[in-house]
Amino acid sequence: MRVAVAGSIVCLSLGLLAVAFADGDEREDERVEKLMERIHEGRRSPYGQLQRIAAGEKADWGVVERAAAAFEPMRRALAESHVEDIRDSADGYIDAVREMRDAVGRRDEAGFRRAFTGLTESCGDCHYEDGVGGELEQDD
């Protein structure tokens, strides 16, 4: 009987420890991280392409449409993340992607530029010291 009780206590303790680790510092979502990297990093990324156009390069709507479409999976991943802190920090990004999608659909260049500016500004909602997204590396 003592062995069964001791075994139950050990199993219960290990189970509680596993739950503590699973809930404790769970601030990462691999899907979000992979999409964020693929969509935002590098000058040839969708973000890099739209950044040049938003900064004044003539809008080639074919390029804009393809690049803007790449943000939809990111928007969904943020909205559906299993990490509450990510979902809670993503409202500005999600709204900006919707606005950008709508402006691109209308081929509204001024609206696209405003939405892209909003998207860029939303990065600070996650990426700050101790934020769920961590601080962004600065390009020199």
Side-chain angles (χ1 to χ4, degrees):
M1 173 98 169
R2 286 186 187 183
V3 172
V5 170
S8 295
I9 291 172
V10 169
C11 287
L12 179 62
S13 297
L14 289 174
L16 291 173
L17 189 59
V19 168
F21 277 116
D23 290 340
D25 195 26
E26 179 65 34
R27 292 175 52 132
E28 295 183 10
D29 184 324
E30 190 173 324
R31 179 176 165 213
V32 167
E33 288 181 29
K34 286 181 179 183
L35 283 169
M36 191 67 71
E37 185 176 306
R38 188 179 87 220
I39 294 167
H40 293 86
E41 291 186 10
R43 76 177 190 81
R44 294 175 64 152
S45 68
Y47 182 85
Q49 292 174 7
L50 294 180
Q51 184 177 40
R52 285 189 304 281
I53 294 167
E57 188 176 292
K58 183 172 177 358
D60 173 338
W61 287 107
V63 171
V64 173
E65 288 168 350
R66 283 188 300 278
F71 286 82
E72 283 298 315
M74 184 78 243
R75 180 191 62 76
R76 285 191 306 275
L78 289 169
E80 298 166 359
S81 177
H82 67 275
V83 179
E84 185 177 4
D85 286 345
I86 291 174
R87 289 191 315 272
D88 289 347
S89 298
D91 292 344
Y93 187 99
I94 289 168
D95 292 344
V97 169
R98 284 185 186 131
E99 290 170 22
M100 186 169 62
R101 177 195 61 209
D102 294 347
V104 169
R106 294 186 312 268
R107 293 194 173 203
D108 173 2
E109 195 165 338
F112 156 71
R113 292 178 198 280
R114 277 191 308 276
F116 187 81
T117 298
L119 177 77
T120 300
E121 290 171 354
S122 77
C123 297
D125 295 344
C126 272
H127 296 284
Y128 58 90
E129 186 176 351
D130 296 327
V132 69
E135 285 189 89
L136 293 174
E137 295 177 14
Q138 298 298 317
D139 293 335
D140 294 325

